[in-house]
Amino acid sequence: MEWLPLTDEQIRESVLRTVKAGAQRLADPEQVRMEMLALMQARQEAGKEFVPWSAPDLARGYGGFCVLFGAMDRAEPDGGWDLIGHRYLQAMQQVLMEEGVPGPALWSGLAGVILAARALSREGERYVNFVQELNAFFLQGFPNLMQFMEGKLEQGVALQEFDVMQGMSGIGRYLLCFADRQEMKVALERVLRYLVQLCADREWNGHVVPGWFTAPEQQHMASDRTAYPNGHFNCGLSHGIPGPLALLSLAARQGVEVAGQREAIQKIGSWLMRWREQDEFGPLWPARVSWEEYRDGRVQGVVPREAWCYGGPGVARALWLGGTVLENEEWKRTALAAYQGTARRPERDWNIESDTFCHGRAGLLQMVQRMYSESGDAAVGRLRDQLLVRMLERWNSDDPYGYHEAEHGEQQHLAGLLDGAAGVFTVLIGLIQEQDADWDAVFLIR
């Protein structure tokens, strides 16, 4: 695939200065750990929501910093970034020895630990034994995991069972990174068959629904139970059905297919196309479709959100991947139109406040870069350049890490990959590299 990196030398130099200044603030694993624990404690004492610190995870823990410093090492092989990454990997290994190996998930478990080490491996040359041992450990528990997950399909599934963050879509993406090894490919094929089964229709409340419907009893978040007392369909790339669409498509694009896979891609993509809305700028998608909206055949009050986790760009990226595999030009045109719409839509209407990846500008920038590289569309390319300049303008040396998370008007100074400064720096450093990298596989956008 093409990558089409930034070519303006002045901006490239500005990117490198900014990223190096920010990454240096994240060079000490113990300092980062203590700062994140202090933030968590302060929020707990203030009665505010917080995500507990988990040392090995990709989201906010050591794993995410391995991804960052792997990207830094790729950009500056003689810059000593690999040594910083090694310190993070050592810290992660120590936690694993003391606390044991976490569950299998991509963003909070073993799959993420393995991809973190892989990110530092210099194309597989380093940490070979460590990665092989963890892959073998993963495969030991995999049959029991799949037996449990497959057994739950008949009763209906919760989002975290199939999503990118905790579920089978994320685990499948990890396996796809090693699909050149037969035992990993076999495991991946079982995940793909699980997702094909997920797409089978079932009956609920006297209606036939797609298998990814989240029934009331499967909604684990209190906010979802309140907002959707009769259940819902999740349309976010992070937690909803676009995640399986992305994995099924990426696997097919890499030549890994099982029976029914293309039919499942067709079913999910057609369903997402059915629920798209349109404003004066371009296509939109709801974050969720309630049971009542599904029953009535229309959604209420869809507003733009230009984010990875929920919103048009994430859904459109999954559709683009599906359209590429099925050679469905309508899907690809719609996906590209969504990004062109973002380019035309005033930034004040983007409904993102954060600098970070998950629901902020960095995630949007990386998806725009992917779409620009694969489509060559001039409007999307201009959006890439504008977003990049905007990110450089938003660097604030007075912030602890230079960039911050912001939701509902409240700022948080987080360090990690998912919703912290590390994710911003990883995106920025990639834009000045001549060759594509695959670190954003963990977000299932490639």
Side-chain angles (χ1 to χ4, degrees), residues 191-347:
V191 172
L192 297 175
R193 285 193 291 270
Y194 166 89
L195 294 177
V196 170
Q197 293 175 42
L198 173 72
C199 293
D201 287 338
R202 62 189 179 91
E203 186 174 322
W204 188 84
N205 201 21
H207 292 260
V208 175
V209 297
W212 60 83
F213 172 66
T214 306
E217 63 272 16
Q218 300 291 353
Q219 296 182 141
H220 292 176
M221 291 182 60
S223 58
D224 281 349
R225 292 194 299 271
T226 299
Y228 306 98
N230 294 310
H232 77 283
F233 300 83
N234 194 293
C235 301
L237 179 53
S238 59
H239 293 295
I241 196 58
L245 173 59
L247 177 64
L248 292 164
S249 303
L250 288 164
R253 192 160 75 169
Q254 201 165 313
V256 184
E257 294 193 43
V258 299
Q261 184 168 335
R262 287 179 177 259
E263 291 80 2
I265 293 171
Q266 179 67 47
K267 183 170 184 175
I268 299 171
S270 298
W271 191 90
L272 288 170
M273 289 289 287
R274 161 69 183 81
W275 291 101
R276 75 187 186 277
E277 294 288 304
Q278 187 91 14
D279 70 1
E280 60 186 299
F281 302 108
L284 306 170
W285 280 269
R288 297 165 181 83
V289 176
S290 71
W291 164 251
E292 292 80 7
E293 289 171 329
Y294 177 80
R295 179 196 62 201
D296 298 339
R298 58 189 177 88
V299 291
Q300 303 285 340
V302 178
V303 297
R305 193 180 190 196
E306 311 292 357
W308 169 76
C309 54
Y310 287 96
V315 178
R317 179 61 185 167
L319 271 174
W320 175 271
L321 294 170
T324 300
V325 167
L326 298 187
E327 298 181 349
N328 188 317
E329 294 303 318
E330 182 187 8
W331 292 7
K332 293 178 68 176
R333 285 194 300 270
T334 300
L336 186 58
Y339 282 84
Q340 293 166 337
T342 302
R344 292 189 294 267
R345 191 172 289 114
E347 185 177 347

Side-chain angles (χ1 to χ4, degrees), residues 41-244:
Q41 182 178 354
R43 292 187 67 82
Q44 185 176 23
E45 292 173 352
K48 297 179 178 179
E49 291 185 359
F50 66 93
V51 176
W53 164 265
S54 177
D57 72 18
L58 278 178
R60 295 182 174 181
Y62 296 142
F65 298 101
C66 292
V67 173
L68 165 62
F69 289 107
M72 296 293 296
D73 178 54
R74 200 170 190 273
E76 277 196 328
D78 299 322
W81 303 108
D82 57 332
L83 301 179
I84 299 174
H86 183 69
R87 290 202 291 270
Y88 273 103
L89 192 61
Q90 287 181 310
M92 188 163 61
Q93 288 176 304
Q94 185 65 35
V95 172
L96 296 178
M97 288 188 292
E98 293 174 355
E99 301 179 7
V101 177
L106 177 59
W107 278 92
S108 62
L110 181 57
V113 170
I114 297 168
L115 290 189
R118 180 175 178 269
L120 287 167
S121 71
R122 288 197 174 179
E123 310 300 330
E125 295 179 0
R126 296 177 172 180
Y127 309 116
V128 176
N129 291 337
F130 181 62
V131 170
Q132 287 179 346
E133 289 173 4
L134 289 182
N135 278 338
F137 186 85
F138 178 92
L139 289 174
Q140 286 177 10
F142 181 74
N144 288 337
L145 168 68
M146 291 309 302
Q147 185 176 5
F148 174 77
M149 296 299 293
E150 289 160 354
K152 298 193 71 177
L153 281 170
E154 293 183 5
Q155 290 78 39
V157 294
L159 297 176
Q160 63 268 29
E161 293 167 12
F162 68 81
D163 73 0
V164 170
M165 307 302 292
Q166 305 294 331
M168 300 313 302
S169 296
I171 290 171
R173 190 61 186 91
Y174 143 69
L175 290 168
L176 183 58
C177 289
F178 297 95
D180 58 329
R181 304 174 190 181
Q182 182 61 23
E183 69 276 15
M184 302 294 274
K185 181 181 178 184
V186 169
L188 171 60
E189 288 170 344
R190 188 163 179 181
V191 172
L192 297 175
R193 285 193 291 270
Y194 166 89
L195 294 177
V196 170
Q197 293 175 42
L198 173 72
C199 293
D201 287 338
R202 62 189 179 91
E203 186 174 322
W204 188 84
N205 201 21
H207 292 260
V208 175
V209 297
W212 60 83
F213 172 66
T214 306
E217 63 272 16
Q218 300 291 353
Q219 296 182 141
H220 292 176
M221 291 182 60
S223 58
D224 281 349
R225 292 194 299 271
T226 299
Y228 306 98
N230 294 310
H232 77 283
F233 300 83
N234 194 293
C235 301
L237 179 53
S238 59
H239 293 295
I241 196 58

